Amino acid sequence: MTRAVLSLGSNLGDRLAHLRSAVTALGDTVRVVSGVYETPPWGDADQPAYLNAVLLAEDPTASARDWLERARAAERAAGRVRDPERRFGPRTLDVDVIAVWDGDEPVLSDDPELTLPHPRAHLRAFVLRPWIDIQPYGRLPGHGWLTDLLTDGPVAADALELRPRPELAIESTA
């Protein structure tokens, strides 16, 4: 059985609806979804704020590549258009595969299309903080405990800019 941690983000249109659409697209594979956080844009500051969340999904038949294809399908369904000129630009929906486990073993990949674990997850408070919501004792393979990365790592200052949005709930309709 594979488990995957996926990061969700949206800063265009109905941001919450886009996050919900990703959960719906992943269907009954979704086990738990974090709270929602409003975050400043990362990598390109000239754009609206994001709503971000993280989810844990499981599927006994899914490969790491399957999780990537499901993430891309959810993005396409939300009208995501990739701008090759603006890598970290605004988007209706961004779904990143952060980490995948086959049983208890992390799946490692250096494929440029699917690097696992995600090569910048340890640098993104908007991934680490919501992930802690659903796995308080979680570890990012190759980097360590999520809580240590968030409080002692290079993202500690960024974590102060995350604003919890408890009034915005994402619930699976599966």
Side-chain angles (χ1 to χ4, degrees):
M1 168 171 302
T2 64
R3 288 178 293 125
V5 171
L6 305 176
S7 173
L8 313 175
S10 174
N11 74 338
L12 292 178
D14 186 338
R15 301 174 301 165
L16 184 60
H18 292 309
L19 298 184
R20 287 177 175 158
S21 75
V23 173
T24 299
L26 291 161
D28 62 3
T29 67
V30 176
R31 295 295 170 254
V32 62
V33 181
S34 74
V36 176
Y37 291 80
E38 191 156 24
T39 65
W42 191 91
D44 180 346
D46 188 24
Q47 58 182 309
Y50 278 81
L51 289 182
N52 290 99
V54 168
L55 64 81
L56 176 67
E58 292 182 345
D59 184 336
T61 63
S63 67
R65 177 69 51 184
D66 292 331
W67 292 115
L68 177 63
E69 291 307 318
R70 291 172 186 183
R72 288 180 174 170
E75 291 175 345
R76 283 191 302 274
R80 166 84 184 263
V81 177
R82 294 183 182 272
D83 181 350
E85 302 296 317
R86 196 169 180 196
R87 182 174 181 193
F88 298 114
R91 63 236 15 223
T92 54
L93 181 63
D94 186 39
V95 181
D96 285 338
V97 180
I98 303 300
V100 176
W101 292 265
D102 187 0
D104 291 331
E105 294 299 314
V107 176
L108 305 177
S109 171
D110 60 2
D111 180 333
E113 198 173 7
L114 180 62
T115 304
L116 290 172
H118 190 286
R120 291 172 297 283
H122 68 289
L123 301 173
R124 295 178 171 176
F126 64 83
V127 170
L128 298 172
R129 180 61 194 94
W131 188 357
I132 290 170
D133 282 358
I134 61 174
Q135 289 188 319
Y137 300 103
R139 293 179 68 125
L140 177 61
H143 294 280
W145 298 104
L146 301 177
T147 51
D148 290 347
L149 293 170
L150 188 65
T151 59
D152 300 331
V155 301
D158 292 345
L160 300 174
E161 296 185 40
L162 272 66
R163 189 166 62 110
R165 297 291 306 270
E167 76 280 13
L168 303 178
I170 301 175
E171 296 178 11
S172 174
T173 58

